[in-house]
Structure formats: C-alpha cells, structure tokens
Amino acid sequence: MLELKNVSFQVVDENNVNKEIIKNISLKIDDKKFIAITGPNGGGKSTLAKLIVGIYEPTEGQILFDGVDITHMSITDRAKMGISFAFQSPVRFKGIKVKDLMTLAAGKETTVAQACEFLSEVGLCARDYIDRDVDGSLSGGELKRIEIAQLIARDTKLSVLDEPEAGIDLWSFSNLIKVFEKMRAERDRNILIISHQERILDIADEIVVIKDGEIVAYDKKDEILPELLKGTAGCKFYQN
C-alpha cells in the first residue's frame, strides 16, 4: 500500500521566490489497484510521480510504502523495495542490446527465452528485437513498450508511468492500451499512470484529479470519468 500524508513540495523560481508545486496532498492507494492521475497541464501530476519514486524529496509531509517511511529514501532504495518508474521520454542506451536491458531490469541473468517472453508480453516480436541496440534506430512506440517490458521483468509491487502515450503514433498507442489492459487483468501489482487519455482513464479502477498542486477529486472511475468526458470547459474538476 502507498500512502502520502500532507505532502508538499516547493521550488525556488528565477526570482528567488518559493513556489509551491504540490500542496499538502494526502492520498492512500490500496494494493493491486490501477490508478490514473489526471488534471490540467502544470497541475503537478508529474511532480507527484517523481516524489513517489524518489526523484524529488518532499519539502513537507511523509510517504509510506508497505508501512515503511520512504520519505527520505533514495530512488535506488525505493527501487529495491519494489517501486519502478517509466519516464515520459524513455532513455536510449547506445551500445546496450535489448536482451542486456532485460537482464539488468530483472536483476539477474536472463535467458534469451525469458527475455523474449517479456517482449512478447508487450506485443513485440522477440526475434526482431532481442539483439537490437536500444538507440535511435527504435521508434518512440518501440522504446515505450521495451520500457514497460523492463517493468514486467522487474516484477515490482508498484509501477509508476508518466504519460506513456506522449510522442507515439496511434498504432503504438493502441498496442500500449492492450498491454495496460492485460496488466490490469492480472491484478498482481499496483499501477499508477499519469495520463490525459480517455482510453487509459477508462481502464483505471480509480481516478485522481490534480489541479494547482492539490487533489480536487479522487474516486472510482465510474464516478469521475463521466464528468471529465464533458470536456475541460464543462468539467467541474477543471473550473476555477
């Protein structure tokens, strides 16, 4: 279980003034849930994700994971506890092959057959990718699916994905949706996705809406999604 208690995060802007990005957020996420976080651009969604995985440290408040206080824990130590993160723009690794990346993700020697199984999970033909370099020859959609294959290989308790739909084509996005639907159906981990996309929100068990650094709504998908689908102008969660 993940729990945030009165978490705030401030930065110093170019005028040397403290700017509060996350404002006193409290949030509890039970095990084996698929949670979508959405809201207006600049509302603090990605910042919240980075606080959870340890890229940023809260200015105030506390973060608990499985009852352990991880507030000041490094991203490496959080990873060891079972928290993984997929960036909005996946990292390219010159000179590293996909098979090697799967081995690194799993944290142990991985056979070609095992690596192929992880790739198949995300809809990639393993024989076409297993020996390819993780470099500019791969498209954005391919990189996104390889990154998700890494999450599967790591078998973490909590997978956090920051706008996985960003920068990929419609075909690749459709394939990602199938991957997320499968992950949700298996119910063997917590999945937390930052997204604006209706098709991703529709998969979620629950939706968190963040605006101006605060949670303005958190409920079951069926309660929140209809309001969101009315459009930004008419949605009560987006209005000033």
Side-chain angles (χ1 to χ4, degrees):
M1 183 179 70
L2 176 71
E3 184 173 7
L4 281 67
K5 295 183 176 181
N6 307 115
V7 169
S8 295
F9 179 68
Q10 294 181 348
V11 296
V12 178
D13 65 17
E14 63 276 8
N15 298 316
N16 205 34
V17 175
N18 286 335
K19 182 179 180 180
E20 198 167 30
I21 308 298
I22 297 295
K23 306 171 184 177
N24 198 38
I25 281 183
S26 292
L27 177 67
K28 184 182 290 186
I29 297 174
D30 294 327
D31 287 337
K32 298 182 179 180
K33 291 283 188 179
F34 190 118
I35 307 295
I37 297 181
T38 193
N41 289 331
K45 302 182 299 297
S46 293
T47 298
L48 183 63
K50 290 173 182 177
L51 286 166
I52 290 170
V53 302
I55 295 174
Y56 298 152
E57 187 173 311
T59 309
E60 296 179 5
Q62 189 178 30
I63 302 175
L64 304 175
F65 185 63
D66 285 346
V68 177
D69 187 342
I70 63 171
T71 310
H72 305 294
M73 196 175 285
S74 70
I75 188 171
T76 301
D77 289 335
R78 295 187 201 203
K80 290 176 181 177
M81 286 188 67
I83 300 175
S84 58
F85 184 56
F87 289 91
Q88 189 175 130
S89 299
V91 179
R92 299 176 189 270
F93 299 93
K94 186 176 180 180
I96 296 182
K97 295 191 180 300
V98 171
K99 193 268 181 184
D100 298 327
L101 205 57
M102 294 299 106
T103 295
L104 289 171
K108 59 184 178 182
E109 185 59 37
T110 303
T111 66
V112 171
Q114 289 171 326
C116 287
E117 185 177 339
F118 298 139
L119 292 171
S120 297
E121 286 282 317
V122 296
L124 293 176
C125 180
R127 67 173 178 270
D128 293 339
Y129 288 91
I130 196 70
D131 289 320
R132 289 186 64 177
D133 287 334
V134 188
D135 57 15
S137 67
L138 295 169
S139 70
E142 289 169 328
L143 282 169
K144 287 283 177 72
R145 283 193 278 168
I146 288 170
E147 187 173 42
I148 294 171
Q150 290 177 254
L151 300 186
I152 295 171
R154 287 194 56 204
D155 194 26
T156 52
K157 295 179 181 179
L158 171 64
S159 298
V160 181
L161 300 96
D162 188 6
E163 297 194 29
E165 71 273 15
I168 63 171
D169 58 78
L170 183 60
W171 186 88
S172 295
F173 178 64
S174 295
N175 279 278
L176 279 179
I177 291 295
K178 293 176 184 177
V179 173
F180 297 146
E181 287 174 338
K182 187 175 187 297
M183 291 171 75
R184 180 183 184 274
E186 290 173 348
R187 297 281 186 178
D188 61 349
R189 71 184 73 201
N190 270 21
I191 302 169
L192 187 66
I193 295 187
I194 312 297
S195 181
H196 295 284
Q197 285 288 337
E198 177 187 342
R199 290 181 66 187
I200 291 179
L201 300 181
D202 194 44
I203 300 170
D205 297 306
E206 298 169 352
I207 297 175
V208 181
V209 183
I210 293 181
K211 177 184 175 184
D212 298 328
E214 299 179 287
I215 293 178
V216 295
Y218 177 30
D219 209 332
K220 294 180 179 178
K221 173 197 65 180
D222 293 341
E223 297 296 324
I224 291 182
L225 189 55
E227 290 290 337
L228 293 174
L229 295 182
K230 290 178 182 178
T232 301
C235 179
K236 64 184 179 182
F237 303 130
Y238 283 68
Q239 292 173 342
N240 292 322

